[in-house]
């Protein structure tokens, strides 16, 4: 029986069994039939996700993606800030894209929904944490099996990125966007990191380790802006598009 404050041992054992099974399966030599029926046919599943995503997302219009932790609760200051950012982003003409789940994703969709804007959710099938939040427009609710397909949708259809505090998934999304901008694979869209205290350690590592070791360039430190309020975050996005005289209204 699980008691409050302790981990459910049955859940832990189940996770170990799943991990062990995946490990053994990855090392096992596959038969020709398995290769054809599983690995090769997976290509068509991936294609189907891309086609469905492209067809739905291409009609949405200018958007900003909001990344952040699924684990933050509504009482978190960052949750409240994400709601405010999304509301204000919507009012200047952008739709809001999130990962479609709880936490910061829910906050982003809630803000867009409250402001009667386009609220897009790109959900991922996971064994825990993830479920659709109730603030996504039904027309713009997509579900994915593959993280890499989902990330393509985030980046391809976003004209800016708001990055709230988050874990590994948020870091993955952040560095994906930064890498694509750094290598000129996408335009130099604005990236806004919200929470100087939260991001400070990582940004210091960028400067003191990556830059000093020559693994990034000085100019790469200009790929992002760090802010501590919703107004600052939205102002940076707006200033970027005002600079280029781009009208983003739907």
């Amino acid at each position: 029986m699980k008691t409050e404050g302790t981990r459910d041992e049955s859940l832990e054992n189940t996770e170990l069994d799943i991990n062990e099974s995946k490990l053994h399966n990855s090392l096992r030599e596959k038969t020709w039939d398995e290769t054809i029926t599983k690995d090769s046919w997976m290509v068509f599943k991936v294609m189907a996700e891309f086609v469905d995503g492209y067809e739905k997302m291409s009609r949405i219009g200018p958007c900003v993606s909001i990344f952040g932790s699924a684990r933050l609760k509504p009482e978190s200051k960052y949750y409240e800030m994400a709601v405010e950012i999304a509301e204000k982003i919507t009012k200047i003409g952008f739709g809001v894209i999130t990962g479609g789940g709880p936490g910061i994703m829910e906050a982003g969709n809630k803000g867009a929904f409250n402001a009667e804007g386009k609220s897009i959710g790109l959900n991922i099938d996971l064994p825990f944490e993830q479920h659709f939040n109730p603030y996504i427009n039904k027309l713009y609710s997509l579900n994915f099996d593959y993280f890499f397909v989902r990330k393509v949708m985030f980046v391809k259809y976003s004209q800016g990125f708001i990055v709230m505090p988050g874990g590994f998934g948020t870091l993955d999304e952040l560095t994906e966007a930064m890498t694509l901008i750094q290598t000129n694979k996408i335009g130099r869209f604005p990236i806004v990191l919200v929470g100087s205290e939260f991001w400070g350690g990582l940004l210091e590592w960028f400067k003191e380790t990556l830059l000093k070791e020559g693994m990034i360039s000085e100019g790469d430190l200009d790929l992002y802006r760090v802010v501590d309020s919703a107004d600052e975050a939205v102002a940076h996005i707006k200033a970027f598009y005002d600079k280029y005289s781009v009208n983003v209204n739907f």
Side-chain angles (χ1 to χ4, degrees):
M1 178 178 178
K2 185 180 184 299
T3 59
E4 187 175 353
T6 63
R7 181 173 173 80
D8 189 336
E9 291 185 5
S10 63
L11 177 61
E12 187 172 318
N13 290 335
T14 299
E15 290 176 352
L16 289 173
D17 290 343
I18 292 173
N19 288 334
E20 185 175 358
S21 174
K22 287 183 176 180
L23 175 63
H24 286 302
N25 189 55
S26 69
L27 297 173
R28 180 178 59 82
E29 184 175 353
K30 294 180 176 63
T31 66
W32 174 251
D33 285 343
E34 286 178 307
T35 301
I36 292 299
T37 57
K38 292 184 179 179
D39 294 354
S40 297
W41 278 100
M42 190 183 83
V43 172
F44 295 99
K45 291 176 62 181
V46 171
M47 288 174 59
E49 287 201 357
F50 273 121
V51 170
D52 186 44
Y54 287 159
E55 287 183 346
K56 290 182 179 178
M57 298 293 290
S58 63
R59 298 191 294 267
I60 289 174
C63 289
V64 170
S65 282
I66 298 180
F67 302 137
S69 175
R71 304 186 186 193
L72 290 177
K73 304 300 181 185
E75 55 269 21
S76 162
K77 68 176 182 179
Y78 292 118
Y79 182 103
E80 295 174 357
M81 198 181 300
V83 173
E84 184 181 355
I85 289 171
E87 288 178 349
K88 292 179 176 180
I89 282 289
T90 297
K91 289 175 181 177
I92 65 171
F94 289 96
V96 172
I97 301 174
T98 81
I104 292 297
M105 295 174 281
E106 177 183 289
N109 289 129
K110 182 177 181 180
F113 182 85
N114 289 346
E116 299 182 348
K118 293 188 177 181
S119 179
I120 301 102
L122 310 181
N123 200 49
I124 186 79
D125 286 328
L126 296 175
F128 58 92
E129 284 187 5
Q130 192 78 354
H131 57 79
F132 275 118
N133 68 67
Y135 301 104
I136 303 167
N137 298 146
K138 290 183 179 179
L139 290 175
Y140 308 126
S141 178
L142 288 83
N143 208 44
F144 295 90
D145 284 322
Y146 302 103
F147 270 111
F148 65 91
V149 179
R150 181 179 180 241
K151 282 200 299 181
V152 169
M153 300 303 153
F154 275 131
V155 176
K156 182 174 177 60
Y157 295 102
S158 293
Q159 284 72 47
F161 305 94
I162 302 288
V163 190
M164 307 297 295
F168 291 152
T170 301
L171 291 174
D172 181 37
E173 291 154 351
L174 167 62
T175 53
E176 175 83 5
M178 291 174 66
T179 300
L180 292 172
I181 292 173
Q182 179 200 49
T183 55
N184 294 317
K185 292 298 184 181
I186 63 172
R188 198 181 177 91
F189 299 122
I191 298 175
V192 183
L193 303 178
V194 180
S196 57
E197 182 180 359
F198 180 86
W199 294 108
L202 177 65
L203 302 183
E204 185 69 16
W205 181 72
F206 284 176
K207 295 177 183 178
E208 296 301 320
T209 301
L210 296 186
L211 183 60
K212 283 187 176 180
E213 294 289 337
M215 296 177 183
I216 62 172
S217 302
E218 185 79 36
D220 293 334
L221 300 178
D222 296 327
L223 293 177
Y224 52 84
R225 175 70 60 87
V226 186
V227 304
D228 284 303
S229 72
D231 285 338
E232 288 178 292
V234 177
H236 181 61
I237 299 288
K238 186 176 186 303
F240 178 88
Y241 284 99
D242 285 347
K243 176 181 178 181
Y244 295 102
S245 301
V246 177
N247 184 354
V248 297
N249 290 320
F250 290 98

